[in-house]
Structures are given as structure tokens and as C-alpha cells.
Amino acid sequence: MSMASMLHLFLVLGSLMVASAGNFYKDFDITWGDGRAEMLNNGDLLTLSLDKASGSGFQSKNEYLYGKIDMQLKLVPGNSAGTVTAYYLKSPGSTWDEIDFEFLGNLSGDPYTLHTNVFTNGKGDREQQFHLWFDPAADFHTYSILWNPQRIVFSVDGTPIREFKNSESIGVPFPKNQPMRIYSSLWNADDWATRGGLVKTDWTHAPFTASYRNFNAEACVWSNGKSSCASNSASSTSSNGAWFSQELDSTNQNRLKWVQKNYMIYNYCAETKRFPQGLPAECRTS
């Protein structure tokens, strides 16, 4: 079997992975939407809806400082142009940290754009965008963020699509001091979301609905100024779990390269015109 065939098989097998289920009543609060967000099936399912009057959103009850976060999402089907489904970690304040998944809708038959970004101290500009190897509106798929002291890894169905390494040694800030909550929202962004705002939301298809299930967090919960983990140093892996020092093995490095070669559609590290003074330092080392 060729390397390309093996990697494609990994992608197919990865799509069968299921995270262990959490309970939305226990783990999350609906924060806005005036009834457009609902927890169903005894807290096993959460739906967000968007109509012309409003979108909706929710946030985690807990704050986290490092963790492996899994959530299964089924995105808005059909003509989702103009809509954005955001799923992210974020700290409060004007110098916030943030780790982003955003799903930019599109016309029926055209692919969603998966937009990722990492903010440190209120500064982002680290966008990478992807198309996916499946229809994310046809069924549930698992979207994961691994955040430990060494790296941030974005994964889809267990397949890594992006790695942002801790490069503090060369002066690149890394999220490590600010606890973050999990947020998700469904909202109208037709001024920019689809083809730069050229395609507007078709409200005849409203309400638009995205669905969530099987939340799982292996994470350091931050409460009353303290972490639930033994220590926030890399040496505390044995008590905190393997995720705390997890890195990409050779198989996952190959899977990451495969996804970035075949499915990445935008990479800030390739934008020499955008950074006339030189690419960001982390781009020059990867």
C-alpha cells in the first residue's frame, strides 16, 4: 500500500472515533439566544439555532489551563452561506488568549471552510484554513484541541490538521498563564464569512441549526486561583495524564503533512506580502 493510500485509510478510520460523552447540563451554560439554544435528550445533545433576529451560544462552566478538549459537531446543512459556527477556548480581558475553530458556511454543494487561529495577549493573525475530506454537515465529527505546555494541536476525527508549538525560546508568546473557557456560537457573518462577504445569508432557509454531542475534557480545571493538576510543569505527566506531554509521533506527523498538503487552503506563514518586515518567527522555524 502506498503512503498516500495509508494516509487516506487513517483519515477514514479516524472518522469512526468517538469521544466519551459528557453532559451539557453539568458542563455548560447557555449564554445567549433567547431560547434558540437547547439542551435535549437529558443533556446528551445541544443545538444552536440562528434566524434573522439572532443567533445563539453557550460556554463551559469550568475554566481550563491546559487540556485535551473533544466535541462532536454536526454543522448547518444545505445552504449555510453567511453563517459561522465558532467553537473555541478564550480567556477574558483585553490581552486575552484564544484557540479557535471557526466553520465558515457556504452555498449548497460547496465545501465549508475550517478557519483556525491562535491568539496570545490579544494578538492573533495566525490563521490557517482548511477544507475537509468529508461533509461536516452530514453527520457528527470530533473536533479536538490539545493544549499542553509544549504545543497546541488541532485535530479532526483524531487526525491532526495543525500544530502550534511553544516557541517562547525565540520570543513567540504562548498561551500558558490565562485560564480559558470553552465557547461556541452560531451567528450571521455574511459581511465577510463566504467569499469575503460576496455571498449573503439566504434567510428563506432559516432557522439554521448546528448540533453538539459527546463533549469530553481531560484537563486542568482552574478554580479559586488554583489548578486541579498536580503542577503545570511538563514533569507532572504521570499525575496529569499522557496528554500533558503528548507530542505528534511519526505517524501523526505524516498525517499532519498529508492534511496540510491536500486540504490547507490558507497559511499565514506563506504570506510574504502580508508580512513585509519578514514572516513571524514561528514560521521561520517550522
Side-chain angles (χ1 to χ4, degrees), residues 116 118 126 128 130 146 148 150-155 160-167 174 246-249 252-253 256-257 260 264 267-269 282 286:
T116 66
V118 176
R126 300 187 179 107
Q128 290 184 355
F130 305 82
L146 169 67
N148 66 30
Q150 297 84 40
R151 59 188 39 82
I152 295 164
V153 178
F154 298 77
S155 297
I161 64 168
R162 176 176 186 177
E163 180 181 32
F164 182 80
K165 293 181 180 178
N166 185 332
S167 299
F174 186 82
Q246 184 176 335
E247 55 188 73
L248 297 182
D249 59 18
N252 277 307
Q253 287 174 4
L256 175 68
K257 290 175 183 174
Q260 295 200 340
M264 180 186 283
N267 181 9
Y268 76 110
C269 281
E282 69 270 20
S286 57

Short mmCIF file of all heavy atoms in Angstrom, two decimals, residues 116 118 126 128 130 146 148 150-155 160-167 174 246-249 252-253 256-257 260 264 267-269 282 286:
data_model
loop_
_atom_site.label_atom_id
_atom_site.label_comp_id
_atom_site.label_asym_id
_atom_site.label_seq_id
_atom_site.Cartn_x
_atom_site.Cartn_y
_atom_site.Cartn_z
N THR A 116 -8.78 28.31 11.51
CA THR A 116 -8.15 28.16 12.82
C THR A 116 -7.28 29.38 13.11
O THR A 116 -6.75 30.02 12.19
CB THR A 116 -7.28 26.90 12.89
OG1 THR A 116 -6.16 27.03 12.01
CG2 THR A 116 -8.08 25.65 12.52
N VAL A 118 -4.72 31.22 16.59
CA VAL A 118 -4.21 31.21 17.97
C VAL A 118 -3.90 32.65 18.36
O VAL A 118 -3.15 33.35 17.66
CB VAL A 118 -2.93 30.35 18.09
CG1 VAL A 118 -2.37 30.43 19.52
CG2 VAL A 118 -3.21 28.89 17.72
N ARG A 126 -2.74 34.55 13.09
CA ARG A 126 -2.07 33.27 12.83
C ARG A 126 -3.07 32.30 12.18
O ARG A 126 -3.23 31.17 12.61
CB ARG A 126 -1.53 32.68 14.14
CG ARG A 126 -0.51 33.56 14.85
CD ARG A 126 0.09 32.82 16.04
NE ARG A 126 1.09 33.62 16.73
CZ ARG A 126 0.90 34.17 17.93
NH1 ARG A 126 -0.26 34.02 18.57
NH2 ARG A 126 1.87 34.87 18.51
N GLN A 128 -4.82 29.72 9.78
CA GLN A 128 -4.69 28.64 8.80
C GLN A 128 -6.11 28.14 8.50
O GLN A 128 -6.91 27.98 9.42
CB GLN A 128 -3.81 27.49 9.31
CG GLN A 128 -2.34 27.86 9.41
CD GLN A 128 -1.47 26.69 9.82
OE1 GLN A 128 -1.96 25.60 10.12
NE2 GLN A 128 -0.16 26.91 9.84
N PHE A 130 -8.70 25.40 6.12
CA PHE A 130 -8.73 24.08 5.51
C PHE A 130 -10.11 23.82 4.91
O PHE A 130 -11.12 24.34 5.39
CB PHE A 130 -8.47 22.98 6.57
CG PHE A 130 -7.20 23.17 7.34
CD1 PHE A 130 -7.15 24.04 8.44
CD2 PHE A 130 -6.03 22.51 6.98
CE1 PHE A 130 -5.98 24.21 9.16
CE2 PHE A 130 -4.85 22.68 7.70
CZ PHE A 130 -4.83 23.53 8.79
N LEU A 146 -5.78 19.94 21.63
CA LEU A 146 -4.81 19.52 22.63
C LEU A 146 -3.98 20.74 22.97
O LEU A 146 -3.35 21.35 22.08
CB LEU A 146 -3.91 18.41 22.09
CG LEU A 146 -2.68 18.07 22.95
CD1 LEU A 146 -3.07 17.45 24.28
CD2 LEU A 146 -1.71 17.17 22.19
N ASN A 148 -1.12 21.76 25.72
CA ASN A 148 -0.24 21.46 26.85
C ASN A 148 0.93 22.44 26.84
O ASN A 148 0.98 23.33 25.98
CB ASN A 148 0.19 19.98 26.84
CG ASN A 148 1.07 19.58 25.66
OD1 ASN A 148 1.84 20.39 25.12
ND2 ASN A 148 0.98 18.32 25.25
N GLN A 150 3.83 22.40 25.82
CA GLN A 150 4.75 22.36 24.68
C GLN A 150 4.12 22.72 23.35
O GLN A 150 4.82 23.15 22.43
CB GLN A 150 5.38 20.96 24.54
CG GLN A 150 6.24 20.52 25.71
CD GLN A 150 5.40 19.92 26.82
OE1 GLN A 150 4.45 19.18 26.58
NE2 GLN A 150 5.74 20.25 28.05
N ARG A 151 2.79 22.54 23.22
CA ARG A 151 2.18 22.68 21.90
C ARG A 151 0.67 22.80 22.01
O ARG A 151 0.06 22.41 23.01
CB ARG A 151 2.54 21.50 21.00
CG ARG A 151 2.09 20.15 21.55
CD ARG A 151 2.62 18.97 20.77
NE ARG A 151 3.99 19.12 20.31
CZ ARG A 151 5.06 18.89 21.08
NH1 ARG A 151 4.91 18.52 22.34
NH2 ARG A 151 6.28 19.04 20.57
N ILE A 152 0.09 23.29 20.90
CA ILE A 152 -1.35 23.25 20.68
C ILE A 152 -1.56 22.46 19.38
O ILE A 152 -0.93 22.76 18.36
CB ILE A 152 -1.95 24.66 20.53
CG1 ILE A 152 -1.81 25.44 21.85
CG2 ILE A 152 -3.41 24.60 20.10
CD1 ILE A 152 -2.02 26.93 21.70
N VAL A 153 -2.41 21.44 19.43
CA VAL A 153 -2.69 20.63 18.24
C VAL A 153 -4.20 20.65 17.98
O VAL A 153 -5.00 20.33 18.87
CB VAL A 153 -2.20 19.18 18.41
CG1 VAL A 153 -2.55 18.36 17.17
CG2 VAL A 153 -0.70 19.13 18.68
N PHE A 154 -4.58 21.06 16.78
CA PHE A 154 -5.96 20.99 16.32
C PHE A 154 -6.13 19.67 15.57
O PHE A 154 -5.34 19.35 14.67
CB PHE A 154 -6.26 22.12 15.34
CG PHE A 154 -6.13 23.52 15.88
CD1 PHE A 154 -4.89 24.10 16.07
CD2 PHE A 154 -7.26 24.27 16.18
CE1 PHE A 154 -4.76 25.40 16.54
CE2 PHE A 154 -7.15 25.57 16.65
CZ PHE A 154 -5.90 26.14 16.83
N SER A 155 -7.17 18.90 15.92
CA SER A 155 -7.40 17.62 15.26
C SER A 155 -8.86 17.48 14.84
O SER A 155 -9.76 18.06 15.47
CB SER A 155 -7.04 16.45 16.19
OG SER A 155 -5.68 16.46 16.52
N PRO A 160 -4.50 15.04 13.14
CA PRO A 160 -4.02 16.40 13.38
C PRO A 160 -4.01 17.21 12.08
O PRO A 160 -3.59 16.72 11.03
CB PRO A 160 -2.60 16.20 13.91
CG PRO A 160 -2.19 14.85 13.40
CD PRO A 160 -3.43 14.03 13.30
N ILE A 161 -4.52 18.45 12.16
CA ILE A 161 -4.51 19.32 10.99
C ILE A 161 -3.57 20.51 11.19
O ILE A 161 -3.14 21.14 10.22
CB ILE A 161 -5.92 19.81 10.62
CG1 ILE A 161 -6.51 20.69 11.73
CG2 ILE A 161 -6.84 18.63 10.32
CD1 ILE A 161 -7.77 21.43 11.30
N ARG A 162 -3.25 20.82 12.44
CA ARG A 162 -2.39 21.98 12.72
C ARG A 162 -1.69 21.80 14.05
O ARG A 162 -2.29 21.31 15.01
CB ARG A 162 -3.23 23.26 12.76
CG ARG A 162 -2.40 24.49 13.13
CD ARG A 162 -3.20 25.77 13.08
NE ARG A 162 -2.31 26.91 13.32
CZ ARG A 162 -2.67 28.19 13.29
NH1 ARG A 162 -3.94 28.49 13.03
NH2 ARG A 162 -1.79 29.15 13.51
N GLU A 163 -0.43 22.20 14.10
CA GLU A 163 0.34 22.20 15.35
C GLU A 163 0.97 23.58 15.53
O GLU A 163 1.63 24.09 14.64
CB GLU A 163 1.43 21.12 15.32
CG GLU A 163 2.25 21.07 16.60
CD GLU A 163 3.34 20.01 16.56
OE1 GLU A 163 3.88 19.75 15.46
OE2 GLU A 163 3.67 19.46 17.62
N PHE A 164 0.73 24.18 16.70
CA PHE A 164 1.37 25.45 17.06
C PHE A 164 2.26 25.16 18.27
O PHE A 164 1.78 24.93 19.37
CB PHE A 164 0.32 26.50 17.40
CG PHE A 164 0.89 27.85 17.75
CD1 PHE A 164 1.30 28.73 16.75
CD2 PHE A 164 1.01 28.26 19.07
CE1 PHE A 164 1.83 29.98 17.06
CE2 PHE A 164 1.54 29.50 19.39
CZ PHE A 164 1.95 30.36 18.38
N LYS A 165 3.56 25.15 18.03
CA LYS A 165 4.50 24.76 19.08
C LYS A 165 4.84 25.94 19.99
O LYS A 165 4.76 27.10 19.57
CB LYS A 165 5.79 24.22 18.45
CG LYS A 165 5.62 22.91 17.71
CD LYS A 165 6.94 22.42 17.12
CE LYS A 165 6.78 21.11 16.38
NZ LYS A 165 8.07 20.66 15.78
N ASN A 166 5.20 25.63 21.21
CA ASN A 166 5.70 26.65 22.13
C ASN A 166 7.08 27.09 21.64
O ASN A 166 8.04 26.32 21.67
CB ASN A 166 5.79 26.07 23.55
CG ASN A 166 6.20 27.12 24.57
OD1 ASN A 166 6.89 28.10 24.24
ND2 ASN A 166 5.79 26.94 25.81
N SER A 167 7.16 28.33 21.17
CA SER A 167 8.41 28.89 20.65
C SER A 167 8.85 30.10 21.49
O SER A 167 9.41 31.07 20.96
CB SER A 167 8.26 29.28 19.18
OG SER A 167 7.94 28.17 18.38
N PHE A 174 3.26 32.32 24.10
CA PHE A 174 2.50 31.07 24.07
C PHE A 174 1.46 31.12 25.19
O PHE A 174 1.77 31.56 26.30
CB PHE A 174 3.43 29.87 24.27
CG PHE A 174 2.76 28.52 24.13
CD1 PHE A 174 2.55 27.97 22.87
CD2 PHE A 174 2.34 27.82 25.24
CE1 PHE A 174 1.93 26.73 22.73
CE2 PHE A 174 1.72 26.58 25.12
CZ PHE A 174 1.51 26.03 23.85
N GLN A 246 1.98 15.14 25.60
CA GLN A 246 1.77 14.48 24.31
C GLN A 246 2.38 15.28 23.18
O GLN A 246 2.31 16.51 23.14
CB GLN A 246 0.27 14.29 24.07
CG GLN A 246 -0.06 13.51 22.80
CD GLN A 246 -1.57 13.29 22.68
OE1 GLN A 246 -2.29 13.30 23.67
NE2 GLN A 246 -2.03 13.12 21.44
N GLU A 247 3.02 14.57 22.24
CA GLU A 247 3.52 15.18 21.02
C GLU A 247 3.12 14.30 19.85
O GLU A 247 2.58 13.20 20.04
CB GLU A 247 5.03 15.38 21.09
CG GLU A 247 5.82 14.13 21.40
CD GLU A 247 7.29 14.46 21.64
OE1 GLU A 247 7.63 15.02 22.70
OE2 GLU A 247 8.10 14.12 20.76
N LEU A 248 3.36 14.78 18.65
CA LEU A 248 2.99 14.01 17.47
C LEU A 248 4.06 12.97 17.17
O LEU A 248 5.23 13.31 16.96
CB LEU A 248 2.82 14.94 16.27
CG LEU A 248 1.70 15.99 16.37
CD1 LEU A 248 1.62 16.81 15.09
CD2 LEU A 248 0.36 15.33 16.66
N ASP A 249 3.65 11.70 17.15
CA ASP A 249 4.59 10.65 16.75
C ASP A 249 4.75 10.69 15.23
O ASP A 249 4.14 11.50 14.53
CB ASP A 249 4.12 9.28 17.24
CG ASP A 249 2.74 8.88 16.72
OD1 ASP A 249 2.28 9.48 15.71
OD2 ASP A 249 2.13 7.98 17.30
N ASN A 252 1.51 10.43 13.16
CA ASN A 252 0.69 11.63 13.16
C ASN A 252 1.38 12.81 12.48
O ASN A 252 0.70 13.68 11.92
CB ASN A 252 0.28 11.98 14.59
CG ASN A 252 -0.92 11.19 15.05
OD1 ASN A 252 -1.96 11.16 14.38
ND2 ASN A 252 -0.80 10.51 16.19
N GLN A 253 2.69 12.84 12.50
CA GLN A 253 3.40 13.87 11.74
C GLN A 253 3.13 13.70 10.24
O GLN A 253 2.93 14.68 9.51
CB GLN A 253 4.90 13.81 12.03
CG GLN A 253 5.27 14.33 13.41
CD GLN A 253 6.74 14.14 13.74
OE1 GLN A 253 7.52 13.69 12.91
NE2 GLN A 253 7.12 14.48 14.96
N LEU A 256 -0.43 14.82 9.56
CA LEU A 256 -0.47 16.28 9.55
C LEU A 256 0.02 16.83 8.21
O LEU A 256 -0.61 17.71 7.60
CB LEU A 256 0.38 16.83 10.70
CG LEU A 256 0.54 18.35 10.77
CD1 LEU A 256 -0.78 19.02 11.11
CD2 LEU A 256 1.60 18.73 11.81
N LYS A 257 1.15 16.30 7.74
CA LYS A 257 1.70 16.75 6.46
C LYS A 257 0.73 16.46 5.32
O LYS A 257 0.56 17.28 4.40
CB LYS A 257 3.04 16.08 6.19
CG LYS A 257 4.16 16.55 7.12
CD LYS A 257 5.44 15.74 6.89
CE LYS A 257 6.53 16.16 7.87
NZ LYS A 257 7.73 15.28 7.75
N GLN A 260 -2.13 18.98 5.47
CA GLN A 260 -1.71 20.32 5.09
C GLN A 260 -1.38 20.41 3.59
O GLN A 260 -1.60 21.44 2.96
CB GLN A 260 -0.54 20.76 5.95
CG GLN A 260 -0.95 20.89 7.42
CD GLN A 260 -0.02 21.74 8.25
OE1 GLN A 260 1.12 21.97 7.89
NE2 GLN A 260 -0.52 22.22 9.38
N MET A 264 -5.17 22.13 3.14
CA MET A 264 -4.96 23.51 3.59
C MET A 264 -5.17 24.46 2.41
O MET A 264 -4.61 24.26 1.33
CB MET A 264 -3.56 23.68 4.17
CG MET A 264 -3.30 25.11 4.67
SD MET A 264 -1.59 25.35 5.21
CE MET A 264 -1.64 24.55 6.81
N ASN A 267 -2.49 29.73 4.60
CA ASN A 267 -1.49 29.60 5.66
C ASN A 267 -0.79 30.95 5.82
O ASN A 267 -0.11 31.41 4.90
CB ASN A 267 -0.48 28.50 5.31
CG ASN A 267 0.57 28.32 6.39
OD1 ASN A 267 0.47 28.88 7.48
ND2 ASN A 267 1.59 27.53 6.08
N TYR A 268 -0.97 31.57 6.98
CA TYR A 268 -0.35 32.87 7.21
C TYR A 268 1.17 32.82 7.06
O TYR A 268 1.81 33.82 6.71
CB TYR A 268 -0.72 33.40 8.60
CG TYR A 268 0.00 32.77 9.77
CD1 TYR A 268 0.95 33.49 10.49
CD2 TYR A 268 -0.27 31.46 10.18
CE1 TYR A 268 1.61 32.92 11.59
CE2 TYR A 268 0.38 30.89 11.25
CZ TYR A 268 1.32 31.63 11.95
OH TYR A 268 1.97 31.06 13.02
N CYS A 269 1.76 31.65 7.29
CA CYS A 269 3.21 31.52 7.19
C CYS A 269 3.71 31.56 5.74
O CYS A 269 4.92 31.60 5.51
CB CYS A 269 3.68 30.22 7.86
SG CYS A 269 3.76 30.32 9.67
N GLU A 282 7.79 32.15 14.40
CA GLU A 282 7.42 30.72 14.45
C GLU A 282 7.35 30.12 13.05
O GLU A 282 7.52 28.92 12.88
CB GLU A 282 6.11 30.51 15.21
CG GLU A 282 4.86 31.04 14.52
CD GLU A 282 4.51 32.48 14.87
OE1 GLU A 282 5.41 33.21 15.35
OE2 GLU A 282 3.36 32.87 14.66
N SER A 286 9.55 26.52 11.50
CA SER A 286 8.80 25.28 11.23
C SER A 286 9.12 24.76 9.84
O SER A 286 9.70 25.42 9.02
CB SER A 286 7.28 25.55 11.36
OG SER A 286 6.89 26.58 10.47
#
